[in-house]
Amino acid sequence: MPLKNALCVFLNERRPAATFVTLGRTPETEQSYVGRRTFAIYWCPGPVAMQDSFPLRVLIVDDEHSVADTLGMIVQAKGHTVRVAYSGVQAAGLVEAFKPHAVISDLMMPGMDGFELAEWIEQRHPEARILFISADFNLIEEARRIAPGGRPRNALPKPVLPTDILRFLDACAVGAVL
């Protein structure tokens, strides 16, 4: 059964762009279809059209530039306003002016890590929803514990599927308790 839903992140001479496409090809043949400028193809197990929601301000934080930039393109392609930071300290500097509705943060970063950043944000902007991402399963389990103040925390293992990120953002947009 061929996979039909994909998010393609394209590189061009000026700047990267992302788009959702529906394709009738299999992953094995897709590279020749998309061409040389493809940065990544994310295969989605189901439809990528998420429910209509208002645009969010989303802060993405990861010390791996390629991960942060790619997530930024995915989120921006769905109509959200995005800021990308490559450290916890840089993210903290953006929070006051940007006032994010949602923060997607790596847990393991030098300096201010994801836990410290989350505590900093939760003290100043308790309405912001935070999603942790990490390749370390033990940190994912730790992150899922209840946060100070009784709010559950969300965490996903890397690599993160675009549909999981978009589901989280849709829940944020409709005010669901996360």
Side-chain angles (χ1 to χ4, degrees):
M1 179 176 183
L3 297 172
K4 294 189 177 203
N5 299 298
L7 170 73
C8 295
V9 179
F10 297 98
L11 293 178
N12 62 33
E13 296 77 36
R14 296 211 166 107
R15 63 178 215 175
T19 186
F20 286 92
V21 294
T22 300
L23 306 165
R25 299 179 183 347
T26 63
E28 295 77 31
T29 63
E30 205 51 53
Q31 187 59 38
S32 62
Y33 177 80
V34 174
R36 284 181 278 171
R37 293 184 180 185
T38 304
F39 176 73
I41 300 174
Y42 295 92
W43 294 98
C44 304
V48 293
M50 306 304 271
Q51 64 192 39
D52 290 334
S53 59
F54 71 90
L56 298 173
R57 291 183 304 274
V58 182
L59 177 60
I60 297 171
V61 190
D62 200 311
D63 59 326
E64 292 182 52
H65 291 226
S66 61
V67 171
D69 293 338
T70 301
L71 287 176
M73 288 185 284
I74 291 167
V75 171
Q76 192 169 27
K78 290 304 287 181
H80 301 294
T81 302
V82 175
R83 296 291 181 273
V84 174
Y86 304 114
S87 71
V89 172
Q90 184 184 13
L94 293 173
V95 167
E96 290 305 318
F98 186 54
K99 296 185 182 8
H101 296 110
V103 178
I104 301 169
S105 177
D106 187 20
L107 284 169
M108 291 179 50
M109 296 181 289
M112 180 186 278
D113 66 22
F115 291 114
E116 294 168 324
L117 175 63
E119 288 178 22
W120 189 90
I121 292 172
E122 288 166 346
Q123 289 173 359
R124 289 158 181 80
H125 299 282
E127 70 284 355
R129 298 292 175 241
I130 298 172
L131 172 65
F132 292 118
I133 58 174
S134 180
D136 186 321
F137 183 75
N138 293 325
L139 286 178
I140 291 292
E141 288 304 309
E142 185 178 340
R144 287 181 176 154
R145 293 193 191 123
I146 301 297
R151 189 169 66 193
R153 287 184 168 166
N154 301 281
L156 293 172
K158 287 181 181 177
V160 181
L161 292 175
T163 51
D164 291 338
I165 295 287
L166 297 176
R167 238 179 254 118
F168 167 76
L169 294 175
D170 278 345
C172 292
V174 296
V177 177
L178 301 172

